[in-house]
Amino acid sequence: MNASHLTLKTLAACAMLTGAAAALAHVTLPPGGATVGSDYNAAFRVGHACEGAKATTGLAVRLPKGFVLSDAQARKGWKLDVSKSGDGEVRWTAETPQDALPGKERAEFVLRGKVPPTPGTLWFKVLQTCDVGVADWAEVPASGNSTAGLKAPAAKLNVVAQGVATVDVRDGWVRQSVPGQSGTGAFMKLTSPTGTRLVGISTPAAGTAEVHEMKMDGDVMKMRELPAGLDLPAGQTVELTPGGYHVMMMDLKGAFTKGATVPVTLKFEDAKGVKTALDLTLPVGAPEGADAGAAHQHKH
């Protein structure tokens, strides 16, 4: 793997690992990225009405430069307008107050298009109109692509290079170990936008890394390797946790101390046989609130 390819993969991984901050935004795109030059279904998720309002009456998506719109999905009871002025805009407007989206309900507004042929971050600025007031989800970070600290961030889409997995990775961590310990586990949440399978793991910090499953067999907790890998259905978050699915690292090269980091490469293969990978740097030690129990007391 050449250095430029590794850099692209590492940047993509960092963007997805820090994507949890984007979940705080109330008009967002689904987790995961898009491959350069690919067709993409942008499903904008509306989580609630504007502050002090009872319903959402309109949604206007300003298309970022480089995104080529193909079509937008109509909604019953809503007027659909597409403007090609500038970089383009797609607008949905409730035809009557009864058609508006109640504040406590969630819905998706979907448009389709092609992403640029070069890696980067696309920011979709979204104006949400309500029965009272508006919310302009249009803030973009001054540098980088983390939305942490932004009150009204634009919806973010990471466009990644060929060969880089579009899987969203969140809350990743590795359990601490002590000198002489031969194995430990790594845990995370994985979401694939189009569906794939986790088929392999590698790390320079261990002689072997495998996808494992822990479950009870009678009154004994046993662990087994998943030789065919772990299925990641489209749009569904699969959790790797202590006591369940996890990454098992064996023949450790040294102790994993809290505060250190471990480089890991996740390898995927989709239903068409297309192989991709994602380079991550995982922190050692359970994050606050994580279940660090279910230590590896098991039999193979």
Side-chain angles (χ1 to χ4, degrees):
M1 182 185 303
N2 61 45
S4 61
H5 194 193
L6 177 62
T7 301
L8 286 171
K9 295 176 80 172
T10 303
L11 288 173
C14 291
M16 292 180 189
L17 278 171
T18 57
L24 298 176
H26 300 293
V27 176
T28 61
L29 288 167
T35 303
V36 290
S38 66
D39 294 322
Y40 178 71
N41 286 349
F44 294 90
R45 297 176 175 177
V46 178
H48 63 66
C50 312
E51 184 176 358
K54 295 182 178 180
T56 297
T57 59
L59 202 75
V61 178
R62 287 156 277 177
L63 304 179
K65 187 175 183 62
F67 183 84
V68 181
L69 180 70
S70 55
D71 63 85
Q73 184 175 300
R75 290 180 57 86
K76 184 177 180 180
W78 290 65
K79 181 183 178 183
L80 174 62
D81 294 296
V82 177
S83 171
K84 295 184 179 179
S85 176
D87 294 318
E89 180 180 271
V90 177
R91 184 185 304 108
W92 292 267
T93 307
E95 295 180 344
T96 69
Q98 291 72 32
D99 293 316
L101 178 66
K104 294 183 179 181
E105 292 186 15
R106 298 186 178 186
E108 292 185 345
F109 295 75
V110 182
L111 58 85
R112 302 175 183 87
K114 187 179 290 293
V115 301
T118 55
T121 303
L122 294 183
W123 297 97
F124 293 81
K125 297 180 179 181
V126 183
L127 180 65
Q128 180 183 10
T129 306
C130 300
D131 57 322
V132 176
V134 299
D136 194 8
W137 305 100
E139 288 186 272
V140 175
S143 61
N145 64 3
S146 173
T147 57
L150 301 182
K151 294 183 178 180
K156 179 178 70 173
L157 175 65
N158 293 314
V159 179
V160 301
Q162 292 284 350
V164 178
T166 59
V167 176
D168 179 76
V169 182
R170 302 193 183 194
D171 304 334
W173 62 283
V174 180
R175 181 182 281 116
Q176 294 171 250
S177 69
V178 297
Q181 184 175 335
S182 62
T184 192
F187 317 97
M188 62 199 77
K189 297 175 182 177
L190 303 173
T191 308
S192 172
T194 56
T196 190
R197 180 178 290 269
L198 175 63
V199 295
I201 307 100
S202 64
T203 173
T208 305
E210 300 172 343
V211 186
H212 282 205
E213 177 186 25
M214 290 183 70
K215 64 180 181 179
M216 294 299 296
D217 184 357
D219 59 352
V220 178
M221 179 69 82
K222 292 187 176 182
M223 181 174 73
R224 67 184 182 95
E225 181 188 4
L226 300 178
L230 178 62
D231 190 39
L232 304 178
Q236 297 183 27
T237 298
V238 177
E239 295 192 42
L240 278 60
T241 62
Y245 298 122
H246 61 280
V247 172
M248 186 64 195
M249 300 180 183
M250 297 167 282
D251 300 327
L252 302 182
K253 304 300 184 182
F256 290 0
T257 58
K258 188 172 179 61
T261 58
V262 180
V264 175
T265 298
L266 303 182
K267 301 173 184 179
F268 304 91
E269 184 174 345
D270 67 16
K272 297 180 180 179
V274 177
K275 298 179 180 181
T276 55
L278 193 61
D279 291 331
L280 311 173
T281 300
L282 301 179
V284 175
E288 185 177 350
D291 177 13
H296 288 73
Q297 308 284 334
H298 55 259
K299 294 182 180 181
H300 287 276

